[in-house]
Amino acid sequence: MHRTKKALLLIWVLSLTGCTILPKQAHYSENTFTSMETEPDLSYEVPVSSPNIFVNQLGYIPDGTKVAVFCGKELPDRFHVVEKETGEIVFTGYLEEQGYQDESQEYNSYGDFTEVSNPGTYYIEAPIIGRSYSFMIEKDLYGDVFKEACRQYYYNRCGMTLTSEYAGEMAHNACHTGRALVKEDTSVSMDVNGGWHQDESGSKMVEPAARSIAIILLAYELYGDAFTDDMGIPESGNEIPDILDEVRYEVEWLLKMQDPATGAVYSGVTVYEQGAGKGAVSYVEPVDLQAARSFAMVLAKFSYLYQFYDTEYATECLKAADRAWRYAQLNEGDDRINEWKLAAAAELYRASGKQEYHSYISDYLSKEDYTKMMDEVLFLGCVTYISTKQPVKLPLCEEIIETLMMKAEEISETARNSLFLTGGGRDQDDIGELLLEMMYMTLVNHVISNHEYENIIENHLHYFMGRNQKAISYIDNVGENNYRLIDENLGIMKRFEADSRLIFMLSEIVSAHGD
């Protein structure tokens, strides 16, 4: 299986100019409390009751695979799918693949109800263990969630008033509109208005911004048809995909973070409360090499994609990226080998074709044992290299592809042996890691359109929407047991970088199902 998939990937590489990833065609197969006291003691917190039937609390598409997970000290042999409004049983199924978990001392089984396809709202009921949270079956199910994930960046715009027309309950007045003090010399101030807040204090750092933008832009490259011009932001309807409008808002802030004379890039803006009713003060953090390299990477990537809409602005961005690269080159000292440098070189090479960038890429990929430490930044740089139309070294492309294939196979193996059919090994509470794994899986699936990989991607979405050990939906406005009822910090869309990974994953699902 692995060798067959690898062969398909290599045929794909050899058939292209460079190693360009071509646009993918949409394809998808797949409690009562009784006290003995006169007055009950309520000084402790009563545990929240959770069902033992786990489902995606948003729901499933009609032609998709539908599986519920059952856990308990004792399990029945059958279950029922019930229409919520009428109480009518529409399907009876049998539990299968029963196993025993030593840690929880519970049995677990799966119930397949793929046969149920009529649109509506349902729940699952079973003897002994009760009922699940409700869910829908609907064709255009994930499109609104995808749009909401994209709109999170609009909600976090700094320096402008967000009206209720576009932001709803997230509307707010313009914030942080004053100049920020340069931390190393507070007698100097800068206009660093704009961009996206990354946390509750309103801080804005270059490196996390670059990482999230790069992920979003890669999703746009692979699944452009999922990104429309009607996502409900002020720029909607201008004949530019709204996601590019949103990224441009952040890019305009990034350009303010660069010293035009030297090409150096300040690492970010932090906001501190002064206390005693004095309000907050913003500081511009010092320049550093990582900021310059991440800046160069994302500005070059944006310029390459945005040239089709505004050539002049795209050129400005590419020049700024080149200046940041040269600043880092002149000041790097012993810091010559770096994953951000590789990612920046890959984007600059694709956008400009200059050989100096390719030389560094070749040296890095030939000398560094990067295949065992393929982190997110390396992933982004390597994918750009195998996607470029510029001349490339095919053996390096082959090694990158083999590394990505091995990673996808490792995730698949873990998912096959997981109760909730997901990756992440034993630490399935690490939502960020699960999302990162789905970036690898989504990229590989884009190339070979593998049905098993498609199912794994959707199983992770089911996990994030409630089919998990805590029966929590981590997605905004989804599910009866939403994270907001438990802890505001659990939401995926509320986490700056995690939201970009969610967008990446959802873009594949929305594109595949034509939402």
Side-chain angles (χ1 to χ4, degrees), residues 146-434:
F146 176 64
K147 286 185 178 182
E148 190 65 15
C150 293
R151 284 167 56 83
Q152 294 300 311
Y153 293 96
Y154 170 72
Y155 299 150
N156 283 285
R157 285 191 187 185
C158 178
M160 70 174 290
T161 296
L162 304 189
T163 66
S164 57
E165 177 185 0
Y166 297 106
E169 65 179 16
M170 303 296 291
H172 62 75
N173 292 325
C175 56
H176 307 124
T177 56
R179 297 174 68 86
L181 304 178
V182 176
K183 202 168 191 177
E184 294 180 307
D185 183 358
T186 56
S187 67
V188 180
S189 65
M190 293 174 56
D191 171 20
V192 289
N193 183 274
W196 301 325
H197 295 151
Q198 295 173 10
D199 56 31
E200 292 182 355
S201 71
S203 296
K204 301 175 291 188
M205 305 303 292
V206 170
E207 187 177 332
R211 192 189 304 263
S212 291
I213 293 173
I215 292 169
I216 292 169
L217 291 179
L218 179 56
Y220 172 75
E221 285 188 74
L222 301 183
Y223 302 104
D225 58 346
F227 296 91
T228 64
D229 188 27
D230 63 352
M231 290 190 171
I233 63 174
E235 295 85 353
S236 293
N238 65 355
E239 300 184 356
I240 299 175
D242 283 349
I243 199 64
L244 294 186
D245 289 321
E246 194 58 65
V247 168
R248 176 167 177 166
Y249 189 84
E250 180 76 343
V251 165
E252 288 172 353
W253 170 75
L254 284 171
L255 288 170
K256 293 181 179 182
M257 299 301 292
Q258 184 176 47
D259 183 338
T262 66
V265 179
Y266 294 94
S267 56
V269 179
T270 51
V271 182
Y272 299 93
E273 292 292 335
Q274 299 183 85
K278 295 181 179 179
V281 59
S282 299
Y283 291 96
V284 180
E285 299 294 332
V287 301
D288 66 29
L289 294 181
Q290 292 296 76
R293 288 166 177 158
S294 58
F295 176 100
M297 181 272 285
V298 78
L299 266 289
K301 188 175 192 69
F302 179 71
S303 73
Y304 181 80
L305 296 172
Y306 204 67
Q307 63 181 312
F308 304 105
Y309 299 98
D310 189 334
T311 304
E312 184 177 350
Y313 190 74
T315 301
E316 178 187 345
C317 291
L318 184 57
K319 289 179 178 179
D322 184 70
R323 287 196 301 272
W325 169 272
R326 299 196 181 284
Y327 167 82
Q329 288 289 87
L330 289 171
N331 294 275
E332 63 183 4
D334 294 332
D335 184 19
R336 298 179 184 275
I337 303 298
N338 185 280
E339 67 277 9
W340 276 112
K341 187 176 177 182
L342 181 278
E347 296 296 350
L348 284 161
Y349 180 56
R350 180 171 69 159
S352 71
K354 292 182 179 180
Q355 188 58 35
E356 64 175 298
Y357 302 127
H358 192 220
S359 296
Y360 178 78
I361 298 169
S362 299
D363 288 346
Y364 185 99
L365 296 179
S366 298
K367 297 176 181 178
E368 291 301 301
D369 188 14
Y370 70 92
T371 60
K372 296 180 181 179
M373 54 178 187
M374 177 70 82
D375 67 359
E376 190 172 55
V377 177
L378 276 176
F379 167 81
L380 292 167
C382 287
V383 170
T384 294
Y385 185 65
I386 64 174
S387 303
T388 183
K389 295 180 181 179
Q390 306 290 354
V392 297
K393 294 185 177 180
L394 288 179
L396 297 180
C397 289
E398 178 181 345
E399 184 176 60
I400 291 170
I401 290 168
E402 183 173 4
T403 299
L404 294 172
M405 273 298 311
M406 289 178 62
K407 185 66 177 177
E409 286 297 307
E410 289 171 5
I411 296 168
S412 298
E413 181 65 23
T414 302
R416 283 192 290 268
N417 295 299
S418 164
L419 172 59
F420 293 98
L421 308 175
T422 59
R426 296 177 66 87
D427 188 13
Q428 294 195 342
D429 285 334
D430 191 343
I431 300 297
E433 181 63 23
L434 290 175

